[in-house]
Amino acid sequence: MSANNNEWSPSSWRTKPIAQDVEYPDQDNLNRVLDKVSKLPPLVTPGEIERLRYQLAQVQNNEAFLLHAGDCAESFDACNQEAIAHKLGLILSFSLILIWGARMPVVRIGRIAGQYAKPRSSATEKIGDRVVTSFRGDNVNGLDPDDRTPNPERMLSAYFHSSTTLNYLRGLLSSGFASLHLNQPRDWSLSHVQSPALQQEFENILDGLSDALEFSRTIGQDRSKSYEHGGGRDPLGEVDLYTSHEGLMLPYEEALTREFPVPSGAHVASGKTPAKAHYNTSAHFLWIGDRTRQLTGAHVEYFRGIRNPIGCKVGPSMQGEELVRLLDIVNPDKEPGRVTLITRYGAGKVEEHLAGHIQVVKASGHPVVWVCDPMHGNTHTSASGLKTRSFGTIISELTSCIRIHTENDSRLGGVSLEFTGELDDKGFSVTECVGGSMELCESNLPLRYQSFCDPRLNFEQSLDVAFLISNHYKQERRALRKGKQNEYEEDVVYSALGGLQSRSTSRIASRAGSPPKAA
Ligand code: PEP
Ligand code: CO
């Protein structure tokens, strides 16, 4: 641990300059709310946080793949039974497709149960003719232009909405929602997907799984009986799901930071297991956004002292030397699983920056998990004025990332996506990103544009991405098995994209004449 660390406390960030600060008009009320939050129970536990740290170290060793996904911003209004179940169903469907293709465990971290605060490029925004304070997320102020004054009571509300979301997620997962034996995957997914070809691809996976489970039963390896009879934990019936949000609102994060003994058996590669540590108990994983990662700023100061695994967004303005200094500050002991770098350059800039970043991090000896966020560098405004992202551009950044890692003797450990499985009462998906096998075009965007923040992939577009990644790793696996690594290096990286395009074409052809589901 660095000497500096002795001076760290959950509130030491208060001595540093803070980006994206929120000014509350009523300080007494702010202090009263923070005092209340600081006495409420933890939302997550040190044991769970340590388990995630360990699993992220496995991702770094290429033994697992990381899926980090969910809303750009959650809202208090969307905290309801259906929305939570649909979001979980999409996370599980996506990860099942990956597991099937890559034959690798997937570590799932949802942008869920706390993703309520947003950084903004500008302090004000124009709504009609009015210039009002920008909306900063339900944790801070209201979407209604007349409700833009920051209100500390919203932090209390964020705590309770997080806790009720988490409670329902835990309930679903512990009562068989994720069970493959109980045939749940059909329920999560198939009703959301219109394209017969995509449905068929998912069905093929489920058929393959049923066969594999039947085979395990025959040879006596299946442990489902205990689960189906309400018995012990079954690895196929219950899955891990971790929660995350951007650690933007430091007063809130501080109030939920608690000191605990480090659970015995915690994974500490340096051998320096601390007896006690500060855990942020509002989520398992927190990340530093691209706008708040200043080396001498409040956010980096706060993050360096918590024991949770953390993410850091890496955009095109990050200098190589700055990146290494950041890693030195937040992970001085070079602990595996502690830092995940989430790159988000934009499809047009990834070539310019990623290889250099991989090289400086390698040279520094810092262990990191590399994750591609192909969303945040690829947002544009449509002709109708709606913020959107194009499926092709998202895939382009993702494909480049996979290739550049391979060329630099590195490996992409995961993806970070903004997606949602939410449907409206008629069963239609959101229409926020263009393209994908549904072929959404800009004129479809207003049909069901729900996001009040960044545009998200809908259910079907998300499964398109899942199949792309899954097929890439399937081909890699097969090439390795056949001992054709050289051939793979030349051909396979690019063929994943071609594969997606040809499947999309067949899907579109097979439902010719029917309108997109979003219509
Ligand atoms: C986000 O992840 O929602 C976000 C705002 O990202 P970034 O900090 O990379 O812009
Ligand atoms: Co976003």
Side-chain angles (χ1 to χ4, degrees):
M1 222 168 262
S2 72
N4 242 356
N5 214 43
N6 297 334
E7 294 146 34
W8 184 90
S9 79
S11 61
S12 56
W13 62 269
R14 290 178 183 272
T15 62
K16 309 279 178 180
I18 182 164
Q20 299 283 327
D21 196 18
V22 173
E23 281 183 26
Y24 291 96
D26 183 345
Q27 288 296 313
D28 288 345
N29 198 18
L30 172 65
N31 292 334
R32 193 191 58 75
V33 166
L34 291 175
D35 184 54
K36 171 72 182 162
V37 174
S38 71
K39 293 182 176 130
L40 289 166
L43 294 173
V44 301
T45 64
E48 294 167 345
I49 294 169
E50 292 294 342
R51 188 173 158 84
L52 176 59
R53 261 184 86 127
Y54 177 72
Q55 292 186 0
L56 288 172
Q58 291 182 311
V59 172
Q60 200 206 304
N61 289 339
N62 301 332
E63 291 162 15
F65 191 84
L66 171 61
L67 170 63
H68 177 235
D71 285 304
C72 179
E74 294 178 272
S75 75
F76 297 163
D77 282 349
C79 179
N80 61 58
Q81 179 186 331
E82 290 76 24
I84 295 169
H86 287 152
K87 287 175 195 184
L88 179 59
L90 176 53
I91 290 174
L92 294 174
S93 304
F94 196 110
S95 55
L96 191 60
I97 292 169
L98 285 181
I99 294 166
W100 188 248
R103 296 289 197 274
M104 232 192 214
V106 172
V107 178
R108 302 167 200 82
I109 306 181
R111 295 173 60 120
I112 198 165
Q115 175 55 11
Y116 290 117
K118 294 309 297 173
R120 298 302 300 264
S121 315
S122 162
T124 56
E125 63 189 336
K126 212 164 170 217
I127 298 188
D129 294 337
R130 294 171 66 186
V131 175
V132 295
T133 303
S134 295
F135 175 56
R136 299 286 305 274
D138 273 2
N139 201 336
V140 178
N141 57 3
L143 189 57
D144 181 337
D146 293 322
D147 184 21
R148 292 290 169 94
T149 306
N151 177 356
E153 300 286 340
R154 286 180 167 272
M155 284 192 268
L156 209 48
S157 199
Y159 173 91
F160 287 114
H161 281 91
S162 301
S163 100
T164 201
T165 303
L166 190 52
N167 181 55
Y168 191 49
L169 289 171
R170 290 189 195 274
L172 284 171
L173 289 174
S174 67
S175 54
F177 187 81
S179 171
L180 300 179
H181 304 292
L182 304 181
N183 220 2
Q184 293 287 21
R186 283 187 173 77
D187 291 355
W188 312 328
S189 262
L190 291 176
S191 58
H192 298 229
V193 174
Q194 190 198 21
S195 151
L198 191 56
Q199 276 193 4
Q200 189 54 52
E201 270 177 283
F202 199 65
E203 281 283 1
N204 291 346
I205 290 183
L206 299 184
D207 286 347
L209 262 170
S210 300
D211 282 351
L213 289 173
E214 210 172 287
F215 179 71
S216 312
R217 251 178 229 135
T218 314
I219 62 168
Q221 300 280 317
D222 176 44
R223 298 198 277 138
S224 63
K225 284 211 167 55
S226 59
Y227 181 77
E228 280 159 10
H229 293 92
R233 187 184 162 89
D234 183 328
L236 294 175
E238 286 182 28
V239 301
D240 285 331
L241 173 76
Y242 298 99
T243 60
S244 73
H245 60 260
E246 178 172 348
L248 187 64
M249 292 287 293
L250 295 180
Y252 179 81
E253 305 305 342
E254 177 190 336
L256 281 158
T257 303
R258 315 279 165 82
E259 193 172 33
F260 283 103
V262 174
S264 60
H267 178 76
V268 183
S270 63
K272 301 182 203 163
T273 314
K276 286 180 166 188
H278 283 92
Y279 290 88
N280 180 315
T281 64
S282 72
H284 302 106
F285 178 93
L286 291 106
W287 75 89
I288 311 176
D290 200 42
R291 294 170 188 77
T292 50
R293 56 172 169 73
Q294 301 77 12
L295 297 181
T296 53
H299 289 83
V300 170
E301 171 61 18
Y302 171 76
F303 271 77
R304 80 180 171 95
I306 56 170
R307 167 101 193 139
N308 306 53
I310 62 169
C312 185
K313 291 292 195 95
V314 178
S317 64
M318 176 76 97
Q319 302 300 309
E321 178 219 357
E322 187 189 3
L323 178 53
V324 174
R325 279 172 62 208
L326 176 67
L327 293 170
D328 288 341
I329 296 170
V330 295
N331 194 15
D333 293 329
K334 300 191 170 154
E335 290 285 343
R338 158 76 172 154
V339 183
T340 295
L341 294 178
I342 308 173
T343 63
R344 35 85 80 223
Y345 308 107
K349 294 188 178 160
V350 59
E351 297 288 341
E352 196 184 325
H353 300 284
L354 178 57
H357 285 162
I358 294 171
Q359 291 306 334
V360 287
V361 172
K362 264 186 179 223
S364 75
H366 271 286
V368 299
V369 172
W370 288 101
V371 164
C372 171
D373 165 359
M375 314 295 292
H376 285 91
N378 296 313
T379 310
H380 68 273
T381 305
S382 71
S384 61
L386 288 167
K387 236 187 185 187
T388 190
R389 289 165 173 153
S390 122
F391 184 81
T393 316
I394 292 169
I395 296 304
S396 162
E397 180 160 358
L398 183 55
T399 312
S400 299
C401 252
I402 293 173
R403 176 179 48 75
I404 294 168
H405 275 285
T406 309
E407 287 169 356
N408 286 274
D409 197 20
S410 171
R411 188 176 170 92
L412 185 69
V415 281
S416 179
L417 300 172
E418 288 185 343
F419 69 33
T420 183
E422 278 171 81
L423 301 176
D424 72 2
D425 47 10
K426 296 194 187 83
F428 293 147
S429 318
V430 302
T431 54
E432 297 169 6
C433 293
V434 295
S437 63
M438 290 177 96
E439 292 198 311
L440 276 184
C441 55
E442 288 206 356
S443 61
N444 296 131
L445 292 177
L447 292 174
R448 203 176 123 74
Y449 195 101
Q450 297 271 298
S451 179
F452 47 83
C453 204
D454 289 340
R456 302 158 297 176
L457 295 167
N458 65 24
F459 203 101
E460 195 152 334
Q461 291 168 327
S462 305
L463 292 201
D464 285 334
V465 179
F467 276 112
L468 169 81
I469 303 171
S470 174
N471 284 334
H472 166 76
Y473 286 110
K474 184 157 74 188
Q475 292 178 55
E476 182 191 64
R477 195 162 45 76
R478 288 187 175 164
L480 281 173
R481 203 168 51 205
K482 287 186 195 146
K484 289 186 179 167
Q485 179 63 13
N486 293 343
E487 195 179 308
Y488 155 73
E489 278 170 3
E490 283 165 24
D491 302 336
V492 174
V493 172
Y494 306 96
S495 67
L497 179 59
L500 177 77
Q501 283 164 341
S502 57
R503 274 202 320 282
S504 303
T505 315
S506 66
R507 265 177 228 146
I508 292 154
S510 66
R511 54 147 226 270
S514 62
K517 185 159 192 172

